[in-house]
């Protein structure tokens, strides 16, 4: 048997053992309450330390109560019929047992556990134990503190514990196959992962800007030691808030991507078109769900064109203005409380509400590249294995045309494709100038492109 097959066998065996324990515990509770039988409380035995779920239990020092809550939340994802089968064996006539809690989903036909399910299985009808368990879930359990588990919100007027017991989707993957599945852009998660194949050497910025970016990298690498080992968490607010401002194409997005790449953090760019809503309260709700999901993930959140949502608050003329200002204030609180790095990018510093800028640890200007920076950008962007025609002077191009790094990338792409299409061996000056003209035209500018 291959090592992979052996590992899979261990995983499956341990998962089955744990769910056998969960089943035994639920039957213990039902037997005691429904059949009035004496049944010994099942004991948890971890037979292996090699499975993903067992490692998670051991590494996080989960109590038996937490293991049962974790398995309950995981059950609909791995053994969807388990709860329904157990309850049906005690109520074969199909009658409902309200104390057990649980709901059915739109597509899932089995029982989805709720907070009430947790309370019943672990505390039965003992009021004191139920209250103690609620307090443990609210303030004691690492699973709820770290948002691995949560109780879904319920409509106004319904008991909080009637909400579904939910497990973070990424942890379902981690506990079963050993890796966290990265979330993808959706209505429930209005952000997309951004990456880059470039290196720090490919980023051309002015020296002052690079020094400020290095300060962010220092925070990313050493904040944990500062807060924990140096015990500064009571004196310093969590998280780090940065504003990037400057013209489009000056490297703001690339910088965010490189910070993630070199500190081994995922960078998520927020899609503001999916966040902003004309309906009162919806924008706040959309961003709230994003921060809730990101709170313990160590992600970098990148708000591009952030002035669309973090812009200056307006004078209150009507109810819509009032709620819009309330949303901005709420988001300010969430950003301040977020323990990770939040980057707000804008074309103009003055577009962002002063209430935000006062709370930034760093405000970094991405200036248009000067002639020397443009020369570096041309040299780094043009292909190394293709020659230029003799009349192409990168020095002259750099001095004469004040363009951004993004412009240079677009021009290079155009010139290279034209060279390939025309079956040329070298990149012609005319192709570069044609690309230049296209870039100026996109911005509504005209220019004499002769050298």
């Amino acid at each position: 048997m291959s090592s992979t097959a052996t590992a899979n066998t261990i995983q499956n065996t341990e998962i089955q053992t744990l769910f056998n324990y969960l089943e035994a515990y639920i039957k213990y509770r039902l037997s005691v309450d429904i059949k009035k039988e004496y049944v010994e409380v099942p004991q948890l035995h971890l037979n292996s330390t090699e499975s993903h779920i067992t490692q998670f239990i051991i590494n996080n020092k989960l109590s038996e109560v937490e293991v049962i809550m974790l398995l309950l939340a995981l059950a609909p994802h791995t053994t969807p019929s388990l709860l329904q089968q157990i309850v049906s064996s005690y109520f074969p006539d199909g009658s409902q047992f309200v104390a057990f809690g649980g709901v059915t989903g739109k597509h899932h036909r089995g029982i989805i556990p709720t907070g009430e399910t947790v309370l019943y299985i672990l505390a039965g009808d003992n009021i004191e134990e139920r209250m103690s368990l609620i307090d443990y879930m609210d303030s004691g359990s690492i699973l709820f503190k770290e948002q691995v588990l949560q109780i879904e919100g319920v409509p106004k007027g319904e008991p909080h514990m009637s909400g579904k017991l939910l497990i973070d989707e990424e942890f379902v993957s981690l506990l079963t196959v050993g890796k966290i599945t990265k979330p993808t852009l959706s209505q429930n998660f209005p952000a997309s992962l951004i990456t880059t194949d470039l290196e720090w050497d490919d980023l051309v910025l002015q020296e002052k800007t690079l020094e400020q970016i290095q300060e962010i990298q220092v925070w990313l690498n050493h904040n944990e030691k500062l807060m924990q080992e140096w015990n500064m968490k009571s004196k310093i607010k969590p998280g780090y808030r940065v504003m990037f401002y400057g013209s489009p194409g000056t490297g703001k997005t690339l910088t965010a991507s490189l910070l993630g790449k070199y500190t081994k953090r995922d960078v998520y760019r927020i899609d503001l078109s999916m966040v902003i809503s004309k309906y009162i309260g919806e924008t706040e709700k959309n961003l709230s769900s994003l921060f809730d999901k990101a709170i313990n993930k160590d992600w970098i959140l990148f708000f591009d064109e952030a002035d669309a949502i973090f812009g200056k608050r307006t004078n209150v003329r009507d109810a819509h203005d009032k709620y819009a200002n309330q949303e901005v204030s709420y988001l300010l609180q969430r950003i301040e409380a977020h323990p990770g790095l939040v980057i707000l990018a804008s074309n103009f510093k003055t577009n962002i509400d002063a209430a935000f800028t006062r709370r930034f640890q760093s405000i970094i200007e991405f200036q248009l590249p000067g002639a020397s920076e443009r020369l570096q950008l041309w040299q780094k962007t043009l292909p190394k294995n293709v020659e230029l025609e003799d009349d192409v002077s990168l020095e002259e191009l750099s001095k004469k045309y004040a363009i951004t790094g993004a412009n240079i990338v677009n021009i290079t792409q155009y010139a290279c494709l034209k060279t390939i299409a025309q079956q040329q061996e070298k990149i012609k000056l005319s192709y570069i100038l044609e690309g230049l003209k296209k870039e100026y035209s996109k911005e509504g500018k005209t220019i004499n492109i002769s050298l």
Side-chain angles (χ1 to χ4, degrees):
M1 184 181 291
S2 68
S3 58
T4 301
T6 301
N8 289 337
T9 300
I10 292 172
Q11 298 288 343
N12 296 334
T13 301
E14 189 62 25
I15 288 174
Q16 187 61 57
T17 299
L18 286 167
F19 278 103
N20 288 344
Y21 164 69
L22 175 64
E23 180 178 0
Y25 204 99
I26 296 172
K27 287 182 175 180
Y28 147 76
R29 176 62 64 190
L30 289 169
S31 295
V32 170
D33 285 4
I34 305 303
K35 296 184 177 181
K36 307 301 180 182
E37 298 175 348
Y38 172 77
V39 179
E40 289 189 6
V41 180
Q43 300 299 311
L44 174 63
H45 299 288
L46 300 176
N47 299 324
S48 167
T49 59
E50 297 182 37
S51 69
H52 306 304
I53 189 168
T54 305
Q55 289 173 5
F56 181 82
I57 292 169
I58 293 172
N59 292 342
N60 290 280
K61 300 177 181 177
L62 299 189
S63 65
E64 288 197 28
V65 167
E66 288 176 309
V67 171
I68 290 172
M69 291 192 293
L70 183 67
L71 293 172
L72 268 176
L74 198 56
H77 300 271
T78 55
T79 56
S81 63
L82 177 64
L83 299 184
Q84 186 69 56
Q85 287 176 350
I86 295 172
V87 173
S88 296
S89 69
Y90 284 81
F91 299 92
D93 60 352
S95 59
Q96 291 187 336
F97 183 48
V98 176
F100 191 82
V103 296
T104 56
K106 291 182 179 179
H107 304 288
H108 181 81
R109 295 186 179 183
I111 296 175
I112 300 174
T114 60
E116 292 170 345
T117 311
V118 175
L119 294 179
Y120 175 73
I121 291 173
L122 289 169
D125 59 2
N126 186 308
I127 296 298
E128 185 177 344
E129 289 185 12
R130 291 169 75 94
M131 294 301 101
S132 177
L133 184 56
I134 290 173
D135 181 63
Y136 183 57
M137 294 165 72
D138 286 341
S139 58
S141 171
I142 189 174
L143 296 177
F144 287 88
K145 282 182 180 178
E146 298 295 328
Q147 305 252 329
V148 178
L149 302 182
Q150 62 175 301
I151 303 296
E152 185 181 44
V154 296
K156 186 176 181 180
E158 295 192 19
H160 170 63
M161 297 305 286
S162 66
K164 296 174 186 173
L165 175 67
L166 302 179
I167 181 170
D168 192 296
E169 292 177 7
E170 287 89 66
F171 281 95
V172 174
S173 178
L174 175 67
L175 296 174
T176 53
V177 298
K179 61 181 180 180
I180 290 181
T181 302
K182 299 184 188 302
T184 55
L185 182 68
S186 68
Q187 193 61 50
N188 294 325
F189 186 73
S192 54
L193 183 68
I194 57 173
T195 60
T196 181
D197 292 327
L198 299 178
E199 311 294 337
W200 278 122
D201 288 344
D202 296 308
L203 183 65
V204 179
L205 298 172
Q206 296 194 4
E207 191 63 33
K208 180 182 177 181
T209 305
L210 284 171
E211 289 175 0
Q212 290 178 294
I213 291 167
Q214 287 168 0
E215 292 174 8
I216 303 172
Q217 196 170 1
V218 168
W219 180 87
L220 288 167
N221 287 329
H222 303 294
N223 176 62
E224 187 68 21
K225 182 175 182 178
L226 175 68
M227 301 296 269
Q228 302 301 328
E229 295 183 26
W230 287 34
N231 197 30
M232 295 294 288
K233 58 185 177 182
S234 62
K235 302 175 183 178
I236 300 175
K237 288 183 178 180
Y240 202 85
R241 291 156 291 282
V242 183
M243 178 181 174
F244 291 172
Y245 75 96
S247 299
T250 49
K252 298 187 291 292
T253 302
L254 175 58
T255 299
S257 300
L258 287 169
L259 282 169
K261 180 176 182 177
Y262 280 90
T263 59
K264 295 180 171 55
R265 288 169 170 82
D266 289 336
V267 183
Y268 281 94
R269 177 165 50 195
I270 314 317
D271 187 336
L272 291 175
S273 68
M274 297 180 70
V275 171
I276 298 173
S277 173
K278 63 181 179 181
Y279 299 107
I280 290 174
E282 281 298 307
T283 300
E284 176 182 319
K285 179 181 175 183
N286 293 340
L287 272 169
S288 177
S289 64
L290 174 71
F291 278 108
D292 287 345
K293 194 171 187 64
I295 192 166
N296 290 305
K297 298 295 196 310
D298 211 18
W299 294 338
I300 296 173
L301 298 182
F302 180 69
F303 290 85
D304 202 4
E305 300 179 2
D307 38 333
I309 193 168
F310 297 99
K312 292 186 175 180
R313 283 172 279 194
T314 61
N315 294 324
V316 176
R317 297 184 300 271
D318 54 31
H320 190 275
D321 289 341
K322 177 183 176 182
Y323 280 105
N325 286 346
Q326 286 178 357
E327 287 178 349
V328 172
S329 298
Y330 171 77
L331 293 172
L332 176 57
Q333 294 171 14
R334 289 305 304 261
I335 286 178
E336 277 203 287
H338 186 69
L341 173 61
V342 178
I343 300 173
L344 273 60
S346 174
N347 293 343
F348 302 100
K349 175 184 176 182
T350 53
N351 284 358
I352 301 295
D353 193 301
F356 285 104
T357 57
R358 284 196 300 269
R359 290 165 171 82
F360 291 143
Q361 273 89 351
S362 187
I363 298 177
I364 303 175
E365 182 180 6
F366 285 70
Q367 297 179 343
L368 289 170
S372 62
E373 287 83 25
R374 291 194 292 270
L375 177 59
Q376 291 181 61
L377 287 165
W378 280 114
Q379 292 170 337
K380 290 176 182 294
T381 306
L382 285 162
K384 300 291 188 292
N385 58 336
V386 180
E387 294 184 24
L388 303 173
E389 288 281 7
D390 292 340
D391 59 349
V392 177
S393 170
L394 298 183
E395 288 80 4
E396 288 298 318
L397 288 169
S398 303
K399 290 176 183 177
K400 188 165 186 179
Y401 299 105
I403 54 179
T404 68
N407 294 140
I408 290 172
V409 170
N410 290 339
I411 294 165
T412 298
Q413 181 184 34
Y414 176 84
C416 289
L417 288 172
K418 194 72 179 285
T419 302
I420 294 169
Q422 297 297 323
Q423 298 182 341
Q424 300 294 315
E425 297 297 324
K426 297 182 180 180
I427 298 174
K428 293 179 177 291
L429 176 61
S430 60
Y431 300 160
I432 294 175
L433 296 180
E434 286 172 20
L436 263 166
K437 185 176 180 181
K438 285 171 63 67
E439 288 301 296
Y440 275 93
S441 178
K442 285 193 302 185
E443 298 174 9
K445 301 175 182 177
T446 56
I447 189 168
N448 179 3
I449 59 171
S450 62
L451 286 174

